[in-house]
Amino acid sequence: MNAQERPPAVVVGVDGSPAARAALLWAADEADRRRETLRIVHGMGLASKLGVHPLPDRAAVEEELLEDGRSLLAESVDAVRRARPEVEVVDVLAGDDAPAVLLDDARHGDVIVVGSRGLGGIKAIMLGSVSARTSSHAPCPVVVVPDTGRPRSRRGRIVVGVDGSDSSHRALRFGLREALVSGSEVVVVNSWEVPLPADADSLSVDAQSLHEEVFDRQSEEVVAGVLAEVIDDSTEDLEISAVRMQANPVEALLKAGEDADLIVVGSRGRGGVRGLVMGSVSQGVLHHARVPVAVLPPHSDETE
């Protein structure tokens, strides 16, 4: 069986950081829940690292980087075997940078897991990050795991943001599948912000209330429509509830997901610089969540 034909796997990136260690342990749990192979991937970024050294020194530097990479992977494999000895583990060492290696290794049907270094706001936008770059272009769902400095106990709760778009349909399908393998309840979140006219102060209380009721009714219809289209025979018995609120979508998801095991959001695929600078619900949640966040890029629910 070649790499293209391998069964679905959980693919996790490691770099020796505390955030990557948190991602590794979450990925090991995920592989155990799914009964899939865990692929531990390390990208050395040889081109950028060797480029700063004089040509005569590069062979020695490359060998040092290779040795460091092998050591990191061996330590990561040992950590997984101590935590989840029943999980099958494969390690992958490659010369490209981390996002390229993860994207090259991943297939439709996989799940990519990466750590979040917590570089929120402008710093993340200017520097970019593995999680942001990967979640914009991956062929499968990407889970970004924050390093909170302490293990979290499972709550049995998955929060999914929906807005009626194709991307939120992908998010809900993934959230429901996760609930099936983890035995969790699913909370569907939809929010809205009421656009008021420039002279909003002149609106009567009744007119403003009616204005808000229209959006509330639309929200109810969106949630009902997405659930009707996505739930099937395999997921109809799951415990599913809905939270609808008048709020910014990022704030709504963060509030609903405070005590969740996972927040799931869709991505409309606005990758690269525009996606980072303009911001989106997925990027906003990624930057601020204190729980793991799954992002569903376009084509991420394809199987081949």
Side-chain angles (χ1 to χ4, degrees), residues 95-263:
D96 287 338
D97 66 0
V101 174
L102 284 165
L103 294 173
D104 182 64
D105 193 77
R107 304 286 182 266
H108 291 300
D110 289 350
V111 173
I112 293 175
V113 184
V114 293
S116 169
R117 290 177 175 80
L119 301 178
I122 297 299
K123 191 172 183 182
I125 292 173
M126 297 302 292
L127 295 179
S129 66
V130 173
S131 58
R133 290 166 65 187
T134 304
S135 65
S136 296
H137 303 288
C140 61
V142 178
V143 178
V144 181
V145 181
D147 174 29
T148 60
R150 54 186 174 81
R152 286 177 56 91
S153 58
R154 287 192 61 78
R155 307 293 182 88
R157 191 168 187 262
I158 294 173
V159 168
V160 184
V162 301
D163 60 6
S165 64
D166 289 343
S167 63
S168 71
H169 282 69
R170 289 195 300 271
L172 183 56
R173 280 192 288 269
F174 178 79
L176 294 175
R177 289 197 295 269
E178 284 293 294
L180 283 175
V181 299
S182 63
S184 302
E185 67 168 313
V186 175
V187 180
V188 177
V189 176
N190 177 260
S191 66
W192 67 95
E193 294 179 286
V194 178
L196 295 175
D199 59 344
D201 290 342
S202 66
L203 286 178
S204 68
V205 173
D206 288 343
Q208 186 165 336
S209 176
L210 180 61
H211 199 58
E212 293 174 354
E213 285 177 9
V214 170
F215 283 88
D216 181 54
R217 186 164 58 252
Q218 289 176 346
S219 172
E220 186 175 11
E221 292 171 354
V222 164
V223 171
V226 174
L227 288 173
E229 292 180 32
V230 173
I231 292 176
D232 57 22
D233 292 344
S234 66
T235 56
E236 64 181 0
D237 292 330
L238 288 171
E239 184 179 348
I240 303 172
S241 59
V243 172
R244 299 182 300 104
M245 66 179 78
Q246 183 176 330
N248 173 279
V250 173
E251 294 174 0
L253 282 166
L254 292 173
K255 180 176 178 60
E258 285 177 344
D259 60 348
D261 297 316
L262 183 68
I263 298 174

